Amino acid sequence: MCGIIGVIDKRRQLMDGSKIRESLALMDERGSGEGAGYAAYGIYPEFADAYALHVFFDNVRENKPALVQELEKWGRIVHDEPIPIYEAGIKKVHTPWRFFFKPDVTKAQESHTSADDIVMRLVMNTNSARKGSLIFSSGKNMGVFKASGWPEEVANLYRIQDYKGYLWLAHNRYPTNTSGWWGGAHPFNLLDWSVVHNGEITSYGTNRRYIESYGYDCTMYTDTEVVAYLVDLLVRKHGLSEKLAVKALAPPFWDEIDAMPAKEQELNRALRLTYGPALMNGPFAICVATADTLIGFTDRIKLRPLVTGEHNDRLYISSEEAAIRRIEPEIEDVRMPKAGEPVIGRVIA
Amino acid sequence: MSIGSVPLRFKVEIDPERCMKCGRCVENCSYGVFRKESDNIVVANSRACVACHRCLAFCPRDAIDIYEKPTDYRTHPVWTREVREAVFNQAKTGRIIVAGMGNVLPYPSIFDRLVLDACQVTNPSIDPLREPMELRTYIGKKPAALSVKEKPNGDAELLTKLAPNLKLETPIMIGHMSYGAISLNAQTALAKAVTKMGTFLGTGEGGLHESLYPYQDHMIVQVASGRFGVDINYLERGAAIEIKIGQGAKPGIGGHLPGEKVCADVSCTRMIPEGSDAISPAPHHDIYSIEDLKQLVHSLKEATEWKKPVFVKIAAVHNSAAIAAGIARSGADAVVIDGFRGGTGAAPRVFRDHVGIPVEAAVASVDAKLRKQGVRNEVSIIASGGIRQSADIAKIICLGADAVYIGTSALVAMGCRVCGTCNRGTCAWGIATQRPELTKRLDPETNAVQVANLIHAWTDEIAELMGAAGINSIESLRGNRDRLRGYMLDEGLLNVLDVKTVGA
Ligand code: SF4
Ligand code: SF4
């Protein structure tokens, strides 16, 4: 189950969250009221160069000072404030807060440490310590908003319609392998990467051990988390294109590889040999977003649905055609990508 | 003799009503249990019986019964029959007791206390009859990352050059059993079977017999401390080269092929004089440190123009993880971990039964250590020593192995009854012997089919287990601790295995 929707405007025209909210609500049947969430890119133009850290505090007065202290050790907090929330019938378990943070690379011990590396470390350290603070979103000029509840309730909690972004992801959760909790709702995020996912990753144990050997800590008790880390490793750290990264995560079968022309065969074999532990198994449909790209793909035998639609400058990816039509009733170019085939939309301006 | 004889172990009986006096038991028993007396067949020497069951298998009338004799010893929970008999024997001879095959002590099996998981509703099981299941495995070095140059037109050029890897169509290989330890017919049957199944067989440290050249692309040649049979021709013929440091059945000691087994042909393949004992010492006399090992790895690679993967085999012991990490850095392409249930042609019994650790724990800790050091993916792990069934293979892959070597089970597929007397060179099944009248009992053609059948059946079973776990490629089973649960294992072991308990 689970419903997912993603949309990107290739010319960075902003869309407010109202349509996404409706679209996700249309897939209420795919959820169980235990979690929903939204990710929006382009929402903080006034702090575009700072990392927007969205944090759940169990208790602001108790937990915040330690995090502030940690952040100040590695850089500067440009601004911070509670994330505005409204009465939506959701029981408030955490206080969502946002920090706009600029890391200082000169404070890192090793010279090649980048600002991204510092933020990644901060996220990993904070979340694995589990001391009442959870950084659930850490990209620039973007943010994740999520909680336990139905899509409309979560949208109302944050008043999603007030945010304007050029790229949106949304997720309606039907949790099966872990309990519904705020941190466990999708999207999952690390730096600019956000992920929504429908399905289960049966290779999670392998993927987790692989990604942990590169310094990523899986702390969310759920399989989707590794997807964000895997794309971060493959694309940001190893320099693969998004297309090749998807080929590593959901590669062609050996029979297909054996039938390819020599050069393509060599590349595909090399990808499987090198990134075998990153290969994802099980039923899944996944949308991954980063600052300028929206990617959708399914598992190698397409055990979960995925539909795409294009209209003018916008690419939509969703579990259901009806969810796309709720945003863009005029849409004509609707497709069902093949198993494992990446669908990629990129901003051109 | 003051000790006298020890009680009979196996009692052999012929039912005279059923016996048709065909004499097959007399012909088949290489231990001289039966005798023809005028017109009768008699059990002349029950004491010589090792329970290899050759006679039972060939009696056309089911006239033979073999009982394990209920002990005549005063029962004692600690001073078991084995313990007391060993003392008697050694009191008489003053010598080390040598035994064949694997560990006979009833250590609890970890494999049997691990259960595999299966999926239900939320993640569908995959039907292997209708969906592709990929068990293909590549053994060898892998790069940590790929470097690819992508052009705007979509073309991609691979900049990383991959090291040579062995391509296995199933994660099941057959481990090293030398010509000498086993017969040429047995080796030929195994070589034919792996060739048919798209996998590999180890030569053991006995060299490569000429008649096996047609199967050389599916053979891994071994370099042990004795260097028997090793020359450039041998190295070049193998699909991969394995340096044997240790063996699960006898960690810390070398090999010994008794002179009786060194017939003309064996002497020629091993490059040693006929009838001489072939002793490979415990240490390689040019390896006393990891740097020395690294040099040997490099010189073997250099000699074969860097075209072949080089494996290093060690016995599973407590510091396997640290050793394996060193091996990974020595340039070796794979590390073989041989557990304490591994078989052997001959070993001092005290080693076979008391030294080493189970392969399950060793593989889990090696995998963890290599991951911690960030090199797990660059070197393959092959597990051996105690793999009895397909479930064991699936479990050890979950614990971190890339592939397995089987040994005893391949011999059992050829008739071996695990009688544990391989060291005597009189294997009635024609397997662990060089006597022509015994080796001819083994037909390479039919035995190859049986061994191939076993690998085929196990491969199908692994595919079914993967499908049940919602996994369609073996890469996703490797190191996947989530698919395993410990059943009645203690917390310490669960930690080493990094596996949750059942119900969690
Ligand atoms: S093989 Fe069986 S039937 Fe033949 S002589 Fe022996 S016991 Fe009798
Ligand atoms: S190979 Fe022969 S001697 Fe060795 S255990 Fe098997 S049957 Fe007995």
Side-chain angles (χ1 to χ4, degrees):
Chain A
M1 295 302 269
C2 298
I4 60 180
I5 170 104
V7 53
I8 182 170
D9 187 294
K10 295 176 191 169
R11 297 195 184 275
R12 290 189 204 267
Q13 296 297 312
L14 301 180
M15 305 163 250
D16 72 41
S18 55
K19 288 273 185 57
I20 281 282
R21 173 187 183 278
E22 280 177 38
S23 160
L24 191 66
L26 180 114
M27 295 189 281
D28 265 358
E29 205 164 71
R30 291 186 160 274
S32 61
E34 292 200 57
Y38 303 82
Y41 288 73
I43 55 173
Y44 296 132
E46 67 278 28
F47 297 112
D49 321 332
Y51 290 83
L53 306 180
H54 284 196
V55 185
F56 287 138
F57 286 122
D58 288 358
N59 181 321
V60 178
R61 211 172 328 143
E62 271 179 27
N63 308 133
K64 193 180 153 210
L67 184 60
V68 167
Q69 203 184 5
E70 188 65 15
L71 291 175
E72 281 171 348
K73 207 155 86 190
W74 296 103
R76 190 165 59 87
I77 298 168
V78 186
H79 175 72
D80 80 290
E81 64 187 10
I83 296 176
I85 51 170
Y86 307 87
E87 173 47 43
I90 289 181
K91 184 173 166 278
K92 197 180 133 197
V93 239
H94 306 284
T95 305
W97 205 275
R98 60 191 165 205
F99 294 87
F100 295 95
F101 172 70
K102 287 195 173 167
D104 179 352
V105 286
T106 61
K107 291 185 174 175
Q109 281 166 344
E110 288 166 48
S111 58
H112 57 267
T113 309
S114 66
D116 278 350
D117 290 332
I118 293 182
V119 173
M120 173 187 145
R121 236 12 298 153
L122 276 167
V123 173
M124 297 295 154
N125 291 349
T126 307
N127 294 355
S128 56
R130 302 217 139 264
K131 294 232 183 69
S133 316
L134 180 86
I135 306 179
F136 61 96
S137 174
S138 51
K140 284 181 179 168
N141 197 10
M142 61 81 57
V144 168
F145 303 89
K146 60 185 185 181
S148 297
W150 289 100
E152 313 86 295
E153 292 171 345
V154 175
N156 293 345
L157 177 76
Y158 293 104
R159 230 178 247 167
I160 279 300
Q161 63 267 32
D162 292 352
Y163 293 92
K164 291 189 177 64
Y166 58 88
L167 198 177
W168 283 84
L169 283 188
H171 184 264
N172 179 14
R173 185 160 190 235
Y174 197 137
T176 47
N177 52 5
T178 50
S179 59
W181 64 293
W182 284 35
H186 300 205
F188 281 92
N189 165 283
L190 179 68
L191 302 169
D192 283 342
W193 299 108
S194 304
V195 177
V196 288
H197 161 219
N198 166 22
E200 266 183 47
I201 301 174
T202 49
S203 57
Y204 174 65
T206 301
N207 303 143
R208 200 192 80 189
R209 285 176 77 79
Y210 174 65
I211 202 76
E212 286 185 346
S213 67
Y214 287 95
Y216 295 82
D217 299 325
C218 298
T219 53
M220 306 283 186
Y221 308 129
T222 178
D223 50 5
T224 309
E225 186 184 14
V226 294
V227 184
Y229 303 161
L230 286 171
V231 275
D232 185 56
L233 178 76
L234 268 49
V235 178
R236 182 172 70 86
K237 293 205 169 152
H238 289 183
L240 295 183
S241 67
E242 287 91 356
K243 196 171 135 211
L244 284 185
V246 171
K247 263 197 194 306
L249 300 178
F253 285 94
W254 283 120
D255 285 352
E256 294 162 355
I257 296 177
D258 290 348
M260 290 174 180
K263 213 175 143 197
E264 218 184 320
Q265 203 181 105
E266 192 194 353
L267 174 67
N268 279 278
R269 184 181 308 118
L271 275 170
R272 274 195 82 165
L273 257 62
T274 311
Y275 294 111
L279 185 158
M280 298 194 314
N281 235 294
F284 60 78
I286 287 175
C287 265
V288 181
T290 183
D292 51 8
T293 313
L294 175 66
I295 311 156
F297 64 104
T298 67
D299 65 82
R300 310 192 300 155
I301 48 178
K302 206 169 179 183
L303 290 164
R304 288 290 183 273
L306 197 73
V307 181
T308 69
E310 274 195 84
H311 190 79
N312 296 335
D313 288 330
R314 291 184 183 167
L315 168 72
Y316 301 86
I317 305 179
S318 178
S319 308
E320 296 196 27
E321 185 176 335
I324 298 177
R325 290 197 180 276
R326 176 54 66 96
I327 307 179
E328 187 49 80
E330 302 298 309
I331 200 155
E332 277 174 10
D333 182 12
V334 172
R335 270 190 346 108
M336 278 176 263
K338 285 197 292 236
E341 177 194 332
V343 179
I344 299 176
R346 233 182 269 282
V347 293
I348 42 180
Chain B
M1 194 180 296
S2 56
I3 291 174
S5 67
V6 297
L8 201 59
R9 180 83 192 268
F10 302 104
K11 177 100 171 84
V12 184
E13 280 173 8
I14 297 178
D15 178 349
E17 300 284 301
R18 299 198 60 83
C19 176
M20 59 188 257
K21 308 179 180 29
C22 67
R24 279 183 213 167
C25 47
V26 183
E27 277 162 37
N28 272 286
C29 181
S30 54
Y31 298 92
V33 172
F34 305 94
R35 196 166 63 219
K36 203 172 170 89
E37 259 176 22
S38 58
D39 258 0
N40 249 338
I41 304 288
V42 296
V43 177
N45 187 8
S46 258
R47 190 169 287 282
C49 179
V50 297
C52 76
H53 284 192
R54 179 82 190 180
C55 57
L56 287 189
F58 284 85
C59 171
R61 301 292 303 267
D62 288 332
I64 305 172
D65 280 314
I66 299 177
Y67 308 97
E68 182 144 18
K69 279 262 291 173
T71 179
D72 296 307
Y73 293 91
R74 180 195 184 282
T75 53
H76 196 292
V78 179
W79 286 90
T80 59
R81 164 204 273 271
E82 285 72 24
V83 168
R84 274 183 277 184
E85 278 186 14
V87 172
F88 289 149
N89 269 328
Q90 295 191 298
K92 279 191 214 162
T93 64
R95 297 175 69 163
I96 290 175
I97 299 175
V98 176
M101 257 317 154
N103 199 320
V104 296
L105 293 191
Y107 296 98
S109 156
I110 299 177
F111 277 133
D112 293 343
R113 295 199 173 194
L114 287 169
V115 286
L116 289 156
D117 200 17
C119 48
Q120 305 286 292
V121 186
T122 60
N123 49 346
S125 338
I126 302 171
D127 180 354
L129 295 177
R130 288 172 185 78
E131 298 288 346
M133 277 290 155
E134 301 191 306
L135 279 84
R136 188 188 290 183
T137 304
Y138 282 85
I139 299 291
K141 261 209 169 347
K142 318 281 191 296
L146 271 196
S147 165
V148 183
K149 197 160 124 203
E150 286 172 89
K151 302 192 188 112
N153 68 1
D155 273 7
E157 196 187 331
L158 182 64
L159 302 178
T160 312
K161 198 173 157 11
L162 255 58
N165 269 254
L166 289 189
K167 181 173 110 183
L168 280 55
E169 293 300 347
T170 166
I172 309 168
M173 295 188 280
I174 300 180
H176 292 259
M177 291 174 279
S178 71
Y179 176 37
I182 62 171
S183 65
L184 187 58
N185 273 352
Q187 244 193 5
T188 308
L190 299 174
K192 280 178 191 280
V194 292
T195 305
K196 183 169 171 205
M197 297 310 298
T199 182
F200 295 84
L201 163 71
T203 58
E205 57 168 320
L208 181 66
H209 191 271
E210 243 180 66
S211 69
L212 294 176
Y213 290 175
Y215 312 102
Q216 65 188 25
D217 292 346
H218 290 272
M219 309 245 346
I220 300 161
V221 296
Q222 195 177 60
V223 175
S225 61
R227 302 286 195 267
F228 301 123
V230 178
D231 64 6
I232 188 68
N233 172 44
Y234 172 70
L235 297 178
E236 272 171 357
R237 285 184 187 276
I241 302 170
E242 179 166 314
I243 300 169
K244 176 193 160 188
I245 300 291
Q247 183 179 345
K250 38 184 170 176
I253 61 169
H256 179 189
L257 184 70
E260 305 90 76
K261 278 186 164 181
V262 184
C263 61
D265 211 24
V266 168
S267 91
C268 168
T269 311
R270 286 214 176 200
M271 303 174 192
I272 52 169
E274 205 176 322
S276 65
D277 279 14
I279 296 175
S280 39
H284 287 241
H285 286 316
D286 53 357
I287 302 179
Y288 284 93
S289 67
I290 199 83
E291 294 84 354
D292 293 345
L293 175 66
K294 188 171 172 176
Q295 278 188 9
L296 182 60
V297 170
H298 279 244
S299 38
L300 290 172
K301 287 192 174 218
E302 195 65 44
T304 50
E305 296 171 334
W306 298 81
K307 286 190 191 137
K308 295 173 199 297
V310 173
F311 307 168
V312 176
K313 170 171 159 178
I314 54 167
V317 287
H318 273 117
N319 56 345
S320 295
I323 304 163
I327 291 171
R329 291 204 161 67
S330 74
D333 300 81
V335 43
V336 184
I337 312 196
D338 196 20
F340 82 157
R341 287 181 198 281
T344 179
R349 201 170 98 160
V350 64
F351 278 82
R352 189 194 66 174
D353 296 348
H354 298 279
V355 186
I357 62 167
V359 69
E360 302 93 314
V363 164
S365 58
V366 166
D367 178 69
K369 176 72 123 200
L370 294 179
R371 272 173 208 281
K372 209 162 157 205
Q373 301 196 353
V375 294
R376 167 62 188 97
N377 208 30
E378 292 166 47
V379 64
S380 301
I381 298 176
I382 301 165
S384 70
I387 309 283
R388 306 155 299 170
Q389 51 196 339
S390 59
D392 294 350
I393 302 173
K395 289 171 188 176
I396 201 79
I397 291 175
C398 289
L399 290 173
D402 289 83
V404 302
Y405 274 151
I406 58 170
T408 307
S409 40
L411 299 188
V412 171
M414 297 199 291
C416 163
R417 298 298 207 258
V418 200
C419 71
T421 47
C422 322
N423 54 308
R424 290 168 57 182
T426 39
C427 173
W429 292 86
I431 301 169
T433 176
Q434 301 305 331
R435 295 195 189 173
E437 73 278 15
L438 299 178
T439 60
K440 73 166 192 254
R441 292 178 176 183
L442 215 149
D443 169 31
E445 292 299 331
T446 41
N447 280 278
V449 172
Q450 286 159 211
V451 176
N453 279 348
L454 177 76
I455 297 176
H456 191 272
W458 283 7
T459 307
D460 279 356
E461 285 180 345
I462 297 168
E464 292 283 349
L465 291 169
M466 282 166 49
I471 284 173
N472 58 18
S473 92
I474 199 137
E475 290 105 308
S476 301
L477 196 67
R478 190 177 308 141
N480 196 340
R481 311 297 169 93
D482 282 16
R483 298 287 128 200
L484 276 184
R485 287 291 187 277
Y487 186 54
M488 297 176 71
L489 284 174
D490 64 72
E491 205 182 327
L493 195 45
L494 288 173
N495 282 338
V496 169
L497 301 174
D498 189 18
V499 164
K500 288 189 196 137
T501 177
V502 284

